[in-house]
Amino acid sequence: KHELVEMRRISALVYKKNKRYKQSIDLSKLDKMYRDAMETARDSGNQDLAESLLRYFVEANMKECFAACLFTCYDLINPDTGLELAWRTNMLDFAMPFLIQVLREYTGRIDALDKKTQKKEEAEEKNKSAPNDYVEDYIPPIMSPGGMTGGFGTLAITAGPGLQQPAQQGFPQPGMMQPGMPQPGMQM
């Protein structure tokens, strides 16, 4: 342990460069170089180191350092952890900028997902309706003797080869003359 603070700070920087982040943070905390400790935690990318530093500030009741650590290590701190620590120690006022930023970020993500989902649904709906846009002209079915449709439009059941369907009583069939009915072109 060197007597000059700047030399100890340089040693913390050397630890940081050699990726020995925990030792660097511990040295910075001992020398009360909290900014260096926060930057080291952020540069480490280690969530556990950032949250342990945040807990250190809560235990030491350093409200301003708590807020600064939330800001500096924003990407590493889970919102539920920051909120819980702030709520248990009555530091909600110091955590509010962090919480507002988290809500803004999540709202932006949800909005982007909504737009993406809506565009996808619109494209699917458009693809669904596209094949149905073509409608053939309506052609009425042609009636054949026996009342059956010739184009197999409804049911294609016939009496079979050589069998004639009997005419129903009282209903004239097309093309068949019924007794007592005037013939076309003749007047009575």
Side-chain angles (χ1 to χ4, degrees), residues 46-47 50-55 66 69-83 85 98 102 106:
N46 188 335
Q47 185 176 6
E51 288 183 0
S52 69
L53 183 61
L54 194 66
R55 283 178 173 52
F66 173 76
C69 187
L70 285 174
F71 177 76
T72 305
C73 301
Y74 175 80
D75 294 329
L76 301 175
I77 298 191
N78 283 330
D80 60 332
T81 303
L83 180 61
L85 289 173
F98 171 76
V102 166
Y106 285 0

Side-chain angles (χ1 to χ4, degrees), residues 55-66:
R55 283 178 173 52
Y56 170 79
F57 292 136
V58 167
E59 290 167 4
N61 200 26
M62 297 181 194
K63 296 177 180 182
E64 291 82 8
C65 289
F66 173 76

Side-chain angles (χ1 to χ4, degrees), residues 126-172:
K126 188 175 182 182
N127 288 339
K128 274 185 181 179
S129 67
N132 296 334
D133 288 345
Y134 176 72
V135 178
E136 289 186 37
D137 292 336
Y138 177 72
I139 302 172
I142 301 171
M143 295 297 286
S144 65
M148 303 307 285
T149 58
F152 303 113
T154 52
L155 252 173
I157 300 174
T158 61
L163 295 176
Q164 185 83 13
Q165 286 188 339
Q168 293 179 351
Q169 251 346 354
F171 295 113

Side-chain angles (χ1 to χ4, degrees), residues 2-182:
H2 202 279
E3 56 196 47
L4 296 175
V5 175
E6 285 303 315
M7 293 303 280
R8 291 193 301 267
R9 191 170 181 204
I10 290 173
S11 64
L13 183 63
V14 169
Y15 278 128
K16 179 179 170 182
K17 293 284 183 187
N18 289 323
K19 299 187 189 309
R20 295 175 65 185
Y21 300 112
K22 178 135 178 53
Q23 290 90 345
S24 176
I25 290 172
D26 289 340
L27 278 177
S28 296
K29 285 193 298 190
L30 285 175
D31 291 332
K32 298 182 181 181
M33 296 290 189
Y34 300 122
R35 180 179 175 183
D36 291 346
M38 289 180 238
E39 289 174 356
T40 301
R42 179 196 61 210
D43 293 343
S44 74
N46 188 335
Q47 185 176 6
D48 294 332
L49 280 177
E51 288 183 0
S52 69
L53 183 61
L54 194 66
R55 283 178 173 52
Y56 170 79
F57 292 136
V58 167
E59 290 167 4
N61 200 26
M62 297 181 194
K63 296 177 180 182
E64 291 82 8
C65 289
F66 173 76
C69 187
L70 285 174
F71 177 76
T72 305
C73 301
Y74 175 80
D75 294 329
L76 301 175
I77 298 191
N78 283 330
D80 60 332
T81 303
L83 180 61
E84 180 185 353
L85 289 173
W87 177 67
R88 287 183 178 218
T89 58
N90 292 327
M91 293 187 191
L92 281 174
D93 290 341
F94 293 92
M96 198 51 65
F98 171 76
L99 295 175
I100 290 170
Q101 183 62 34
V102 166
L103 282 174
R104 176 66 185 118
E105 182 180 329
Y106 285 0
T107 303
R109 286 182 183 178
I110 290 172
D111 290 344
L113 284 173
D114 281 344
K115 286 180 183 178
K116 186 176 180 181
T117 305
Q118 187 178 17
K119 286 180 182 178
K120 187 176 181 182
E121 288 173 355
E122 288 174 359
E124 286 176 3
E125 192 66 33
K126 188 175 182 182
N127 288 339
K128 274 185 181 179
S129 67
N132 296 334
D133 288 345
Y134 176 72
V135 178
E136 289 186 37
D137 292 336
Y138 177 72
I139 302 172
I142 301 171
M143 295 297 286
S144 65
M148 303 307 285
T149 58
F152 303 113
T154 52
L155 252 173
I157 300 174
T158 61
L163 295 176
Q164 185 83 13
Q165 286 188 339
Q168 293 179 351
Q169 251 346 354
F171 295 113
Q173 295 209 353
M176 304 289 277
M177 292 301 299
Q178 299 294 326
M181 298 287 289

